[in-house]
């Protein structure tokens, strides 16, 4: 199953988005938070992102969703060192995580889960 990592500057925000995404994934989707810096403050941590990827990676790929600029940069740094199909998706954090988790829970492949997360922008226009 495709795994999902929620990267945020805030541990609280990452935990909340993860909780919502897991609920929408009906407990089937593997979703992990990577929020805050390594000391629990605001910021991002490549180590936390790598740990979250390891927790959700089972061979079907991993979708990364990030909230703001340096979270995106941290994800890109991690991508340089992580083997396998790990994709940073340009999608709104909350809507993208929910859409990705919902699709991943059906057993969809990585490109389909990525497309679901990216399509979350379309729903914002309503």
């Amino acid at each position: 199953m495709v795994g999902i990592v929620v990267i945020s500057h805030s541990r609280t925000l990452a935990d909340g988005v993860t909780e919502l995404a897991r609920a929408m994934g009906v407990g089937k989707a593997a979703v992990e938070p990577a929020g805050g810096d390594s000391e629990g403050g605001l910021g991002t941590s490549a180590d936390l992102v790598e740990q979250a990827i390891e927790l959700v990676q089972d061979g079907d790929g991993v979708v990364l969703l990030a909230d703001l600029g340096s979270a995106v940069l941290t994800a890109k740094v991690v991508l340089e060192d992580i083997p396998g199909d790990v994709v940073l998706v340009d999608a709104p954090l909350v809507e993208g995580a929910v859409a990705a988790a919902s699709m991943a829970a059906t057993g969809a492949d990585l490109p389909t889960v990525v497309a679901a997360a990216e399509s979350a922008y379309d729903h914002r226009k309503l």
Side-chain angles (χ1 to χ4, degrees):
M1 179 172 297
V2 174
I4 299 153
V5 175
V6 177
I7 307 166
S8 174
H9 286 75
S10 164
R11 177 68 186 191
T12 303
L13 178 58
D15 287 345
V17 172
T18 297
E19 177 184 16
L20 181 61
R22 285 178 179 159
M24 295 299 116
V26 231
K28 294 180 182 178
V31 186
E32 284 295 323
D37 65 17
S38 58
E39 296 175 8
L42 290 176
T44 56
S45 164
D47 289 338
L48 292 177
V49 174
E50 288 176 8
Q51 290 168 14
I53 291 169
E54 289 173 11
L55 288 172
V56 300
Q57 195 170 39
D58 74 356
D60 292 330
V62 177
V63 167
L64 306 179
L65 296 150
D67 63 358
L68 299 169
S70 65
V72 172
L73 293 175
T74 299
K76 287 181 178 181
V77 166
V78 169
L79 285 173
E80 293 175 3
D81 297 327
I82 294 289
D85 291 328
V86 182
V87 180
L88 175 59
V89 179
D90 182 17
L93 187 66
V94 176
E95 296 92 334
V98 167
S102 298
M103 189 57 68
T106 70
D109 63 6
L110 182 61
T112 304
V113 174
V114 168
E118 291 173 340
S119 74
Y121 275 126
D122 297 338
H123 301 292
R124 293 183 134 203
K125 297 176 186 175
L126 299 176

